[in-house]
Amino acid sequence: MVLRVSIPSFRKVKDDEDSYTVFLLDVWAGGQHNVIEKRYSEFEELHKQLKKIMKTPEFPPKKVLKWNSKVLEQRRMGLENYIQGILEFDPLPWALFVFLETEQITEEYEKNEEEKSTTHQPMIVFDANAYLYPSEKDSLPDIVNDGVMIGFYSNTESFLP
């Protein structure tokens, strides 16, 4: 499956008394597009999981001035570089698919592939030995075979005008 991810932007979310920043991720998986939002802490959790199973790219550090838009833009770029670095690994870790919420996309893609399977019966069937033995029930000459035989085995001068 082709997987493409970018982090084009971030936004501030105010939830009752709590406010935090989410990063918007554009995820293209299996030909389908999905936009998800993830907090920095969710990226940290992914990083902790991936460190256990692979050598990860550099993870952007948490800054004290988290509401400064310049710092948030640097963090966004760092997180995008981090994700791009992980996407270079082969095979991709399953934790990444879970993080990017592509399980449902993958299931839908596989379901669509099953539905695309052929449902019709073949129209023409050839006997496996059709060209090994001459057919005795044909009343018409085999002009293709005759033409090939003449082309290979007869004198080419006889065909010139």
Side-chain angles (χ1 to χ4, degrees), residues 20-57:
Y20 53 90
T21 303
V22 292
F23 296 89
L24 281 75
L25 286 80
D26 276 334
V27 180
W28 289 90
Q32 294 185 352
H33 179 244
N34 195 16
V35 178
I36 59 173
E37 294 180 341
K38 295 290 183 178
R39 293 178 68 165
Y40 180 83
S41 59
E42 293 174 285
F43 280 96
E44 275 184 316
E45 184 58 36
L46 171 68
H47 180 64
K48 288 176 187 175
Q49 291 175 11
L50 294 179
K51 276 194 329 187
K52 295 176 185 176
I53 59 172
M54 61 191 277
K55 183 172 174 22
T56 61

Side-chain angles (χ1 to χ4, degrees), residues 32-151:
Q32 294 185 352
H33 179 244
N34 195 16
V35 178
I36 59 173
E37 294 180 341
K38 295 290 183 178
R39 293 178 68 165
Y40 180 83
S41 59
E42 293 174 285
F43 280 96
E44 275 184 316
E45 184 58 36
L46 171 68
H47 180 64
K48 288 176 187 175
Q49 291 175 11
L50 294 179
K51 276 194 329 187
K52 295 176 185 176
I53 59 172
M54 61 191 277
K55 183 172 174 22
T56 61
E58 184 179 340
F59 190 75
K62 194 168 193 170
K63 304 278 191 215
V64 178
L65 304 171
K66 64 180 181 178
W67 291 113
N68 182 339
S69 61
K70 189 174 184 178
V71 171
L72 289 172
E73 179 58 23
Q74 288 176 342
R75 184 180 288 176
R76 182 201 65 78
M77 291 186 326
L79 291 172
E80 178 151 5
N81 289 337
Y82 177 76
I83 290 292
Q84 297 305 321
I86 292 172
L87 290 173
E88 292 178 6
F89 285 90
D90 188 32
L92 292 174
W94 186 251
L96 179 65
F97 290 106
V98 173
F99 174 78
L100 296 174
E101 302 173 18
T102 58
E103 292 174 300
Q104 60 194 20
I105 292 175
T106 306
E107 289 170 7
E108 287 177 24
Y109 178 75
E110 289 171 353
K111 180 182 173 189
N112 289 340
E113 286 299 312
E114 290 173 7
E115 291 173 0
K116 290 180 185 176
S117 64
T118 307
T119 59
H120 67 276
Q121 295 295 318
M123 302 274 305
I124 300 173
V125 178
F126 290 101
D127 181 17
N129 299 326
Y131 298 105
L132 295 179
Y133 307 107
S135 175
E136 296 174 4
K137 56 186 172 184
D138 286 343
S139 60
L140 297 174
D142 187 354
I143 60 171
V144 173
N145 188 39
D146 292 345
V148 170
M149 296 303 250
I150 291 170

Side-chain angles (χ1 to χ4, degrees), residues 5-23:
V5 181
S6 66
I7 307 174
S9 62
F10 59 87
R11 69 183 182 94
K12 295 178 182 175
V13 176
K14 294 187 189 253
D15 186 22
D16 296 329
E17 296 136 20
D18 193 22
S19 60
Y20 53 90
T21 303
V22 292
F23 296 89

